Amino acid sequence: MKILVTGGTGYIGSHVVVDLLNEGHEVVIVDNLINSKVTVLDKITEITGKTPIFYYENLTNFEALQKIFDEHQFDSVIHFAGLKSVSESVERPLLYYCENITGTINLLKCMQDKGVEKIIFSSSATVYGDSDIKERLETMPTGQNIANPYGRTKYMIEEILKDVCISDPNFSAVALRYFNPVGNHSSGLIGEEPNGIPNNLMPYIMKVASGELQELSIYGNDYDTPDGTCRRDFVHVSDLAKGHLAALKALETPGFKAYNLGTGTPTSVLEMVAAFEKISGKPLPHRFVARRPGDLAEIWANPSLAKKELGWQSELTIEDALKDTLTFLSNHQ
């Protein structure tokens, strides 16, 4: 198949591109490199022996996107492109609504114009909002008490996809609700390497481990959790990538479907610090600071539906993720 991957040079997108190429698919990437590096393309080629077609473009540029669709007949789309910082979305909500929602609408318009009726959307567990129910199931309501604009854009895009599926009985959309991706490719060549200030825990840990930062700032130690720090469902990015290939099969049936991709087991920030210190054999300096706006105390996946309908489940551990992170770090120092 020829597959368009938006945001394909990003953290999760690049891992999915590697797996798609290794499975024999033809890949076209559209990315504006706002949170990734063009050198990732060389790494993808080094891993797979294949080079994806690449367009340096923003999805908000509708005319440019139309030209890309004029040049290729895509079988399906995997949509990663979008801004993803919780804290930045609180500070700059209009930017997030413009980039994430307008970009997606432009993409869907181009798909409809060219008869492309299959899309996998990179969604998020944030669509479930703040709830007393910590284990999230796909049957739970979405869109209620979402703590930040980033999460609301994910929810709104899911609703848009549902409406498109209702309007077109042949259209198929799968929303993959990620929990907390961690780790890097086992080759150590591609991984989480954001531009500027990191938004997620693992890049901060890497910067402290490399000496770029003096210490890790842990946002809050007064949450209602066993050790006072937030607990998250950390899932290896390579497992996530496999989830997208499994979801391609689900696109054969029209309609909207959503699946959790997580391990089903929460890990606290302090537990992650302790695990990193054990794997690396070195202390990880850290201090507690004020909570970040929009952060939830704890959340984890019930991934049983993905196992039942997609045949997918996580296989790699936190320890695997940390080992791969250290390998990536050693290759980038």
Side-chain angles (χ1 to χ4, degrees):
M1 288 192 292
K2 178 179 278 193
I3 301 173
L4 172 64
V5 181
T6 72
T9 60
Y11 174 40
I12 302 171
S14 61
H15 286 77
V16 172
V17 167
V18 165
D19 282 1
L20 289 172
L21 292 172
N22 283 336
E23 288 288 320
H25 298 292
E26 186 176 354
V27 176
V28 177
I29 295 173
V30 175
D31 203 308
N32 63 6
L33 303 177
I34 194 170
N35 200 38
S36 61
K37 296 176 174 63
V38 72
T39 53
V40 168
L41 294 169
D42 295 330
K43 304 300 183 183
I44 290 172
T45 301
E46 187 173 347
I47 294 169
T48 66
K50 303 172 184 177
T51 302
I53 299 170
F54 175 74
Y55 291 91
Y56 173 56
E57 197 51 74
N58 196 315
L59 298 188
T60 56
N61 187 337
F62 182 60
E63 290 74 19
L65 194 57
Q66 282 182 310
K67 291 179 181 178
I68 294 169
F69 272 81
D70 286 340
E71 294 174 9
H72 303 275
Q73 181 56 52
F74 299 113
D75 297 294
S76 58
V77 173
I78 303 181
H79 179 31
F80 295 100
L83 300 176
K84 63 175 186 176
S85 168
V86 168
S87 57
E88 185 184 47
S89 77
V90 174
E91 296 167 358
R92 306 180 68 187
L94 293 181
L95 174 66
Y96 273 66
Y97 290 124
C98 179
E99 291 290 327
N100 293 4
I101 295 177
T102 302
T104 301
I105 290 173
N106 286 346
L107 177 64
L108 290 169
K109 284 180 178 178
C110 289
M111 289 176 65
Q112 285 194 326
D113 288 346
K114 295 297 182 180
V116 183
E117 297 178 320
K118 298 177 181 179
I119 185 171
I120 295 172
F121 171 54
S122 168
S123 192
S124 167
T126 57
V127 300
Y128 294 114
D130 191 0
S131 168
D132 292 334
I133 302 173
K134 306 305 180 184
E135 182 182 66
R136 304 303 165 92
L137 277 163
E138 292 88 346
T139 53
M140 290 177 59
T142 58
Q144 300 176 6
N145 301 317
I146 296 177
N148 52 76
Y150 160 75
R152 282 190 281 275
T153 66
K154 293 294 187 181
Y155 164 72
M156 291 175 184
I157 291 169
E158 284 197 10
E159 294 301 297
I160 291 169
L161 291 173
K162 290 177 186 178
D163 288 337
V164 173
C165 288
I166 291 171
S167 69
D168 182 352
N170 295 316
F171 198 87
S172 177
V174 172
L176 297 179
R177 295 171 179 167
Y178 310 153
F179 280 67
N180 291 78
V182 290
N184 303 281
H185 194 269
S186 58
S187 66
L189 293 174
I190 59 173
E192 190 168 15
E193 195 178 13
N195 296 332
I197 300 173
N199 302 311
N200 300 325
L201 175 61
M202 192 61 77
Y204 268 115
I205 290 178
M206 291 169 63
K207 286 182 178 293
V208 176
S210 67
E212 187 175 339
L213 293 177
Q214 289 187 344
E215 60 188 5
L216 172 70
S217 295
I218 298 177
Y219 297 98
N221 65 337
D222 57 350
Y223 286 96
D224 185 18
T225 61
D227 63 19
T229 63
C230 291
R231 297 208 299 166
R232 294 290 183 267
D233 189 336
F234 294 102
V235 56
H236 199 296
V237 67
S238 294
D239 280 335
L240 277 185
K242 291 181 175 64
H244 292 76
L245 270 69
L248 283 173
K249 301 170 186 175
L251 290 176
E252 298 305 318
T253 304
F256 176 86
K257 296 163 284 290
Y259 298 97
N260 291 336
L261 295 188
T263 67
T265 303
T267 301
S268 76
V269 176
L270 279 180
E271 287 172 335
M272 182 69 82
V273 169
F276 187 87
E277 291 179 334
K278 180 180 179 180
I279 294 294
S280 67
K282 298 178 181 179
L284 189 72
H286 56 276
R287 68 185 177 97
F288 299 109
V289 298
R291 295 183 181 190
R292 288 186 303 189
D295 274 349
L296 304 177
E298 54 186 349
I299 179 174
W300 63 89
N302 183 321
S304 58
L305 186 64
K307 181 178 180 179
K308 177 183 177 182
E309 296 191 2
L310 302 181
W312 176 91
Q313 62 181 350
S314 63
E315 298 175 351
L316 300 171
T317 64
I318 291 292
E319 289 73 22
D320 292 325
L322 292 171
K323 289 175 184 177
D324 291 339
T325 295
L326 288 170
T327 301
F328 180 78
L329 183 61
S330 67
N331 285 347
H332 290 75
Q333 285 184 319

